[in-house]
Amino acid sequence: MKVLNFGSLNLDYVYSVDHMVAPGETLASSGMNIFCGGKGLNQSIALAKAGVDVYHAGMIGEEGGILLKACKEGGVNADFIKSIPGKSGHTIIQVDKNGQNCILLYGGANRSITKEYVDEVLAHFEKGDILLLQNEINMLDYIIDCAYEKGMMIILNPSPYDDALEACDFGKISMFLLNEIEGGQVTGETQTDRILERLKEIYPEAKVVLTLGGEGSVYQYKEEQYRQGIYKVKAVDTTAAGDTFTGYFISSVIDKMPVQDGLALAAKASAIAVSRQGATASIPLRDEVLNVRL
Ligand code: RIB
């Protein structure tokens, strides 16, 4: 069984600010760093650091060498990553004094995925293999349809949520990992319990992991439900905390760990990520997650 993550790779331009800049305001930042990120790359690196053999597919632009390097150094198989002319995906991220962020995304090369490229990559995978997706690349609907045809198990993190997701057949998804806002966007509900109930009604065969920020997370599959709290740490930078959770939880599924243990492992890994700067740079290795006391 092989694991493929078809997703974004971004250069994150991260600015430290007192507060998020307001409309019409010019705000001086107190620091700036460039980190490797992108929900796709972050989740691939989280999977690899959790001990999973993972292939990443996606596109980078002319200045994307550093992203390729980070991918390889993070232990991810980068053979399918394609370099194309033009700019890589990038973000402008403000991180405030509480470690909270807001992110402006430029898709760049992430939005240049073609049907030919999808076909070329998926030709290397087969029935029973796992496909992980987020919503920072184009062609998501096509990728889902092709992977489903092949019998791959499709896991979707519908983030960031936008209209492109409306074109996707969510009935083909085996597992959703999403936060409460995304859960609300998928279901039209606002209360946690209603979001979970509605997801079960619309996608009865799908497993769901709903993250609830400071309230932790919930796993749901049919009548089964498990809840997990957070590990409290001083937040330095929340960027990639959700991606770390996603990668680690999926690793626990691959390792056939009990759900409650998988949720705890993912919560601990994401707490460590929150306590550090940057996206891929903040993702801990499995040994650290297992041994740290929080
Ligand atoms: O989830 C965090 C990621 O979202 C950042 O690394 C940034 O690139 C954006 O895609």
Side-chain angles (χ1 to χ4, degrees), residues 10 12 37-39 42 91 93 103 105 136 239-240 243 279:
N10 292 332
D12 290 343
K39 293 186 195 305
N42 297 340
T91 61
I93 303 183
I103 302 179
L105 178 63
E136 286 187 342
T239 312
D243 299 328

Side-chain angles (χ1 to χ4, degrees), residues 161 182-190 194-196 198-199 202:
Y161 193 92
E182 292 146 3
Q185 287 162 318
V186 173
T187 60
E189 300 289 345
T190 50
R194 278 303 299 147
I195 292 171
L196 287 165
R198 192 73 191 118
L199 283 169
I202 331 175

Side-chain angles (χ1 to χ4, degrees), residues 4-246:
L4 168 67
N5 183 9
F6 213 132
S8 60
L9 304 98
N10 292 332
L11 288 162
D12 290 343
Y13 293 83
V14 182
Y15 299 83
S16 305
V17 292
D18 175 77
H19 58 272
M20 305 306 177
V21 69
E25 180 184 19
T26 300
L27 180 67
S29 63
S30 58
M32 189 265 176
N33 277 301
I34 304 175
F35 290 111
C36 293
K39 293 186 195 305
L41 179 59
N42 297 340
Q43 293 179 21
S44 280
I45 290 185
L47 278 163
K49 288 196 172 175
V52 175
D53 278 336
V54 54
Y55 294 82
H56 190 96
M59 291 195 174
I60 52 175
E62 285 150 7
E63 77 295 46
I66 186 177
L67 294 167
L68 191 59
K69 190 164 172 267
C71 195
K72 289 179 182 167
E73 286 178 359
V76 177
N77 185 312
D79 291 353
F80 298 123
I81 294 178
K82 193 165 171 182
S83 297
I84 58 168
K87 287 204 168 304
S88 292
H90 78 250
T91 61
I92 293 177
I93 303 183
Q94 301 174 55
V95 177
D96 74 9
K97 57 187 178 207
N98 301 315
Q100 296 304 312
N101 66 26
C102 65
I103 302 179
L104 178 66
L105 178 63
Y106 171 73
N110 295 313
R111 314 281 325 161
S112 300
I113 310 291
T114 60
K115 287 188 173 176
E116 292 68 32
Y117 175 60
V118 173
D119 295 344
E120 197 182 301
V121 172
L122 290 186
H124 297 267
F125 296 86
E126 58 189 16
K127 186 176 167 68
D129 289 343
I130 292 178
L131 172 69
L132 171 61
L133 298 166
Q134 315 75 29
N135 187 31
E136 286 187 342
I137 57 170
N138 63 316
M139 286 284 161
L140 218 55
D141 51 343
Y142 182 71
I143 299 172
I144 290 172
D145 290 346
C146 295
Y148 186 80
E149 276 302 304
K150 280 182 160 280
M152 292 178 80
M153 172 193 175
I154 308 171
I155 302 179
L156 176 67
N157 169 220
S159 179
Y161 193 92
D162 66 21
D163 289 350
L165 290 170
E166 310 282 333
C168 298
D169 184 351
F170 280 8
K172 296 177 176 171
I173 305 300
S174 297
M175 184 186 289
F176 294 94
L177 289 112
L178 69 182
N179 66 28
E180 228 175 347
I181 297 172
E182 292 146 3
Q185 287 162 318
V186 173
T187 60
E189 300 289 345
T190 50
Q191 307 284 324
T192 308
D193 290 344
R194 278 303 299 147
I195 292 171
L196 287 165
E197 275 165 34
R198 192 73 191 118
L199 283 169
K200 191 160 56 178
E201 279 162 21
I202 331 175
Y203 309 113
E205 298 309 318
K207 296 175 171 133
V208 172
V209 180
L210 187 69
T211 55
L212 309 169
E215 299 303 310
S217 56
V218 192
Y219 169 97
Q220 171 176 275
Y221 181 53
K222 298 191 183 286
E223 297 316 309
E224 219 182 337
Q225 213 179 75
Y226 297 92
R227 287 182 183 257
Q228 171 67 44
I230 59 159
Y231 289 89
K232 287 211 172 100
V233 291
K234 181 175 161 22
V236 172
D237 180 354
T238 55
T239 312
D243 299 328
T244 304
F245 186 100
T246 297

